[in-house]
């Protein structure tokens, strides 16, 4: 594993959250497969874990429903959203919510949503006042499509 992947894996494991209550979302799966660096950790969590995080980590994050994942930690590269609320709020109808939660693969004891969800997300995401993503997403779409030419593992 690269240094960033090891560091982010260590952060997640140190939090001690039960893996059945969260999934690494977005580009995390691409990083786990060695396609790009793992800059920050995007998590989709259960409603129960979301409420626990809001209480136990109060004052350690900022909150905005104007962003795709509303909880942004101050001192660690971690953003968190609720399943299924934040998925549907940002991208209504993009994901099959009946299967999304079970579409994951474990790497280093960390649950990553399958790359097909990242692919769909990046094909549909647009720039906002908070983040300019379209150019980066085009690069990631190319990486995913190149990867699919030789493997579909994790997709």
């Amino acid at each position: 594993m690269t240094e960033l992947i090891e560091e982010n894996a260590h952060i997640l494991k140190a939090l001690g959250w039960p893996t059945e209550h969260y999934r690494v979302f977005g580009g995390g799966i691409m990083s786990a497969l060695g396609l790009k660096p793992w800059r920050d950790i995007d998590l989709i969590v259960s409603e129960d874990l979301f409420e626990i995080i809001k209480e136990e980590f109060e004052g350690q994050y900022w909150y905005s429903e104007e962003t795709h994942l509303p909880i942004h930690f101050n001192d660690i590269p971690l953003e968190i959203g609720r399943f299924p609320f934040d998925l549907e709020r940002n991208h209504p109808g993009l994901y099959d919510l009946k299967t999304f939660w079970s579409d994951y693969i474990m790497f280093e004891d960390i649950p990553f949503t399958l790359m097909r969800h990242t692919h769909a997300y990046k094909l549909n995401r647009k720039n906002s006042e908070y983040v300019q993503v379209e150019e980066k997403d085009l690069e990631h779409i190319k990486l995913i499509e190149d990867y699919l030419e030789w493997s579909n593992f994790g997709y």
Side-chain angles (χ1 to χ4, degrees):
M1 284 197 295
T2 68
E3 187 176 321
L4 274 175
I5 292 172
E6 287 178 12
E7 186 176 314
N8 287 345
H10 176 75
I11 288 168
L12 282 173
K13 290 176 182 178
L15 289 167
W17 296 337
T19 58
E20 63 270 16
H21 286 280
Y22 73 87
R23 302 287 181 264
V24 175
F25 180 65
I29 184 70
M30 295 175 65
S31 302
L33 293 171
L35 302 179
K36 70 174 201 66
W38 195 7
R39 186 179 53 83
D40 61 353
I41 306 165
D42 295 337
L43 292 184
I44 295 294
V45 302
S46 68
E47 289 281 349
D48 292 340
L49 183 55
F50 191 82
E51 293 305 318
I52 290 168
I53 291 166
K54 281 174 53 179
E55 288 178 26
E56 287 186 9
F57 293 89
E58 188 175 359
Q60 297 177 46
Y61 63 85
W62 59 276
Y63 184 93
S64 172
E65 289 201 5
E66 298 297 318
T67 61
H68 75 290
L69 299 173
I71 289 181
H72 303 260
F73 276 73
N74 298 324
D75 297 328
I76 55 177
L78 182 60
E79 298 176 11
I80 297 173
R82 293 162 286 205
F83 177 82
F85 179 80
D86 290 311
L87 290 177
E88 275 298 293
R89 177 177 58 85
N90 290 301
H91 300 286
L94 181 61
Y95 304 106
D96 180 350
L97 298 178
K98 293 178 186 145
T99 61
F100 181 90
W101 195 256
S102 60
D103 282 351
Y104 71 95
I105 191 164
M106 297 294 283
F107 284 110
E108 302 290 327
D109 300 318
I110 297 169
F112 291 83
T113 59
L114 294 180
M115 194 161 41
R116 67 173 158 260
H117 299 298
T118 301
H119 196 193
Y121 173 68
K122 290 185 175 288
L123 284 167
N124 289 280
R125 189 164 67 153
K126 302 292 180 215
N127 289 336
S128 73
E129 69 178 276
Y130 293 97
V131 63
Q132 300 296 305
V133 295
E134 291 175 15
E135 185 175 327
K136 176 185 80 163
D137 283 352
L138 287 174
E139 293 171 13
H140 291 174
I141 290 164
K142 171 105 172 76
L143 288 172
I144 292 168
E145 291 173 355
D146 288 349
Y147 172 79
L148 290 173
E149 289 181 12
W150 58 273
S151 179
N152 65 358
F153 180 77
Y155 193 81

